Amino acid sequence: TRTKTADVERADSGIGQMPARKWRNRASETLSSLQAWEAHRPCTDCGERDLPVETDVQNCNQRRADLCEKCRKRRTERKESVLEFVNTEASYGEDLRIIKEEFYLPMQAAGLLSQEQLQGIFSNIQELIDLNENFLEILQEEIDQAFDQGDDDLMTVCIGEIFLEFVNMLPAFQTYCLQQSSSVNMLNALEKEKELLRIFLNVSQNDNTALRRMNLRSFLMAPLQRVTKYPLLLSRIIKATTEYHPDHGSLREAKSRIESHLEHINMKTKQEGNTWTLRSFRQDSKKKREVINIEMRETALKTVGWLREETRFVMEGSLQLAQPPDGQWVKKGSKTLKFQNMQVLLLVNMKRVSESSLESAEPGPVKDAVLVLIRDKNNGKFHLLREPLRLSNCIVSSDPDCDDTFELIEIRREAFVFRDSDRARTHHWFRQIRRYSRELGSWKKRRNALPNIMISTPHTRP
């Protein structure tokens, strides 16, 4: 049936004039509230309100228009600090290149010094060059990527995270710094002894424009100056980085790690009788512990003889150790055992998957794992309790009746019982050690990795 045109629908909303007027008033009030909120919108960095209203919209970057004046200034300071870090790293790399190409290679080609003498003067300069090139390449890639993505403030560049990825470059600085005194003494003695060397160094300084009229000794100081400048550069970035930034924690950790290494270098120079020291930093308990950890890692690496870049320190810390006289200690309880405090390091040797960074995010296959047992310091030095325990030759187990300890048995040799003062830490140590023991050991195919002998006879019945 057709419907008459007049009866199709009403032209008004059907709610009357009074409610419609109220709705319009409500909409007007809401719009005013939105405009007021926009005028006092919160800063995207710190959350403060009452931002200055931007009048010139065409020349104003909308992203920066959402920032208060304080955060704008902070972002500018952070960008300048990040660029300073990268640019000074590039300048440091140029000085290293000059050392090699303007001094080392010409002196080697001309036969001015023997290879042993060159090694004594220039130390591990090639290692520092390789580290600088890799480090600088990653930094520059991050900067370029940020600009390509429209991040003009470089807020996505995380210097702290990148620095921690290359933290293994710090021992290379240590090697160079500890040899610096003997390198300079050798250079002075050879310069007095060899006239051709003295002529070469004078002509290079005066006629080679690439040297900026600086002598070889000045360039040899570049690694020392660079490693002591890292904490200052990181402090500037930290100061300009809000605590909510994802890189804030990494920046603080990176600064703490470099300061701890510098304190360790100073300690080593004093032990070797050198009078010079690097810049001193305020010691606190955390840095003191880190210095001790660095020294223990060096002792462990020297003992196992692994390459530093292929070594991971999975766990380290203090454990209590006992050697039970027989296998009945579980029934008698761990209270019958005599424990002694020991520093223990769990080291894993693995192949690198990527050559671009020193600590690959995806580690390669495990080649070996050891447990290094170090006595507490005696006469200022660490001493090994015994040779490292290779987990491929060990069986790790625990007993429910003694859940505050775990046992490690070295096949055909001896047994050890470990525990931590904290039970949760004891369990964590146990899980980590058992994991690598199962992965590498000949017992890994046996149930629970226990040395129980399972005799299986062939079935004669169908």
Side-chain angles (χ1 to χ4, degrees):
T1 305
R2 288 188 176 184
T3 306
K4 293 182 181 180
T5 306
D7 297 333
V8 174
E9 64 176 318
R10 296 176 60 177
D12 59 56
S13 62
I15 60 176
Q17 295 182 354
M18 185 62 69
R21 189 178 302 114
K22 290 183 178 180
W23 181 87
R24 286 194 295 270
N25 292 338
R26 182 69 57 83
S28 177
E29 293 174 1
T30 302
L31 180 61
S32 300
S33 299
L34 289 173
Q35 292 174 346
W37 181 88
E38 179 65 21
H40 302 283
R41 61 194 179 281
C43 172
T44 56
D45 277 9
C46 66
E48 296 292 334
R49 293 183 177 271
D50 297 330
L51 304 186
V53 179
E54 296 292 342
T55 56
D56 189 359
V57 180
Q58 307 244 349
N59 298 327
C60 172
N61 187 323
Q62 183 60 38
R63 188 162 46 84
R64 293 182 64 86
D66 294 336
L67 299 173
C68 65
E69 189 63 30
K70 181 180 179 181
C71 289
R72 286 188 195 181
K73 184 178 179 181
R74 178 186 293 167
R75 283 200 178 192
T76 301
E77 292 175 353
R78 186 181 188 279
K79 178 181 179 180
E80 293 175 352
S81 300
V82 168
L83 291 177
E84 181 187 12
F85 188 99
V86 178
N87 293 336
T88 53
E89 186 70 22
S91 299
Y92 160 65
E94 180 63 20
D95 287 343
L96 294 180
R97 186 195 65 79
I98 290 176
I99 292 175
K100 178 182 178 180
E101 297 183 2
E102 307 297 337
F103 290 104
Y104 181 90
L105 293 179
M107 291 164 67
Q108 184 185 47
L112 296 178
L113 298 177
S114 66
Q115 192 61 38
E116 183 180 355
Q117 291 169 336
L118 289 171
Q119 179 66 28
I121 294 175
F122 295 97
S123 187
N124 61 331
I125 195 69
Q126 184 59 52
E127 182 183 11
L128 295 176
I129 291 174
D130 295 338
L131 290 167
N132 169 260
E133 290 178 351
N134 294 334
F135 188 35
L136 187 60
E137 181 182 359
I138 298 299
L139 290 172
Q140 197 59 56
E141 285 179 0
E142 290 291 317
I143 298 292
D144 295 341
Q145 184 178 358
F147 282 131
D148 292 342
Q149 294 176 349
D151 179 18
D152 296 334
D153 294 329
L154 304 181
M155 295 298 290
T156 58
V157 177
C158 295
I159 296 292
E161 291 183 5
I162 300 173
F163 193 95
L164 291 177
E165 287 181 5
F166 283 83
V167 73
N168 272 352
M169 67 181 176
L170 299 180
F173 278 107
Q174 174 178 316
T175 300
Y176 187 90
C177 293
L178 293 179
Q179 295 183 10
Q180 179 63 19
S181 180
S182 60
S183 297
V184 172
N185 292 336
M186 179 180 288
L187 178 61
N188 293 336
L190 290 173
E191 193 174 4
K192 292 178 181 179
E193 176 185 342
K194 296 179 178 291
E195 184 179 1
L196 289 178
L197 175 63
R198 186 167 61 254
I199 294 173
F200 168 77
L201 294 177
N202 289 334
V203 171
S204 298
Q205 180 180 354
N206 296 324
D207 298 343
N208 191 341
T209 56
L211 303 187
R212 310 187 297 275
R213 292 191 174 276
M214 294 170 57
N215 57 28
L216 175 57
R217 293 174 185 81
S218 300
F219 282 102
L220 291 176
M221 290 295 294
L224 280 73
Q225 295 168 348
R226 185 59 185 170
V227 73
T228 54
K229 197 172 183 181
Y230 279 136
L232 178 61
L233 294 171
L234 291 171
S235 295
R236 291 178 183 173
I237 301 176
I238 293 172
K239 184 179 179 181
T241 302
T242 175
E243 61 180 340
Y244 304 108
H245 192 280
D247 196 40
H248 191 269
S250 297
L251 284 167
R252 288 193 173 276
E253 183 180 355
K255 180 174 178 287
S256 177
R257 295 285 288 274
I258 181 63
E259 289 181 351
S260 299
H261 271 273
L262 292 177
E263 291 292 348
H264 180 64
I265 293 173
N266 284 338
M267 181 186 67
K268 283 287 188 181
T269 56
K270 292 178 182 178
Q271 291 178 354
E272 295 180 6
N274 295 328
T275 56
W276 66 272
T277 57
L278 297 175
R279 176 186 172 191
S280 298
F281 295 90
R282 181 178 57 85
Q283 276 274 31
D284 56 30
S285 58
K286 182 178 179 181
K287 290 187 179 65
K288 187 175 181 180
R289 288 195 303 270
E290 180 63 22
V291 170
I292 294 175
N293 291 340
I294 293 170
E295 191 171 357
M296 286 195 302
R297 292 173 202 150
E298 286 189 345
T299 302
L301 270 180
K302 185 178 179 181
T303 302
V304 298
W306 296 346
L307 294 176
R308 189 183 302 275
E309 58 269 21
E310 294 183 356
T311 303
R312 280 185 57 208
F313 293 89
V314 180
M315 290 192 70
E316 55 189 25
S318 177
L319 279 179
Q320 294 179 353
L321 176 146
Q323 292 184 269
D326 52 45
Q328 302 297 320
W329 68 271
V330 176
K331 293 182 181 180
K332 299 176 183 178
S334 59
K335 294 182 179 179
T336 61
L337 299 176
K338 184 178 180 181
F339 286 91
Q340 57 178 323
N341 292 324
M342 193 71 52
Q343 297 296 330
V344 182
L345 293 90
L346 174 56
L347 281 69
V348 174
N349 184 253
M350 54 203 340
K351 295 179 181 178
R352 286 184 294 167
V353 173
S354 173
E355 297 293 334
S356 61
S357 64
L358 298 178
E359 291 186 355
S360 175
E362 297 180 0
V366 176
K367 296 191 295 184
D368 201 357
V370 298
L371 211 61
V372 179
L373 309 179
I374 301 178
R375 298 181 185 274
D376 285 337
K377 258 191 171 182
N378 186 17
N379 296 326
K381 293 184 179 181
F382 287 109
H383 297 280
L384 295 176
L385 174 68
R386 63 187 306 285
E387 68 271 15
L389 292 164
R390 297 201 173 275
L391 297 187
S392 58
N393 298 327
C394 296
I395 304 160
V396 186
S397 60
S398 64
D399 192 283
D401 295 333
C402 297
D403 62 345
D404 61 337
T405 61
F406 64 90
E407 186 177 30
L408 185 146
I409 302 175
E410 191 178 16
I411 301 173
R412 298 187 182 91
R413 294 196 65 178
E414 50 190 335
F416 299 90
V417 177
F418 293 96
R419 72 180 181 187
D420 193 281
S421 55
D422 179 60
R423 183 168 299 184
R425 286 277 298 173
T426 301
H427 294 167
H428 186 51
W429 272 101
F430 167 66
R431 288 192 297 269
Q432 290 290 338
I433 296 173
R434 182 181 62 175
R435 168 192 169 188
Y436 293 106
S437 175
R438 286 180 170 180
E439 286 185 13
L440 299 168
S442 58
W443 300 100
K444 63 182 179 180
K445 294 183 180 180
R446 296 193 173 182
R447 186 177 60 183
N448 297 328
L450 295 176
N452 55 322
I453 301 176
M454 305 295 295
I455 303 177
S456 58
T457 58
H459 294 281
T460 57
R461 298 180 183 178

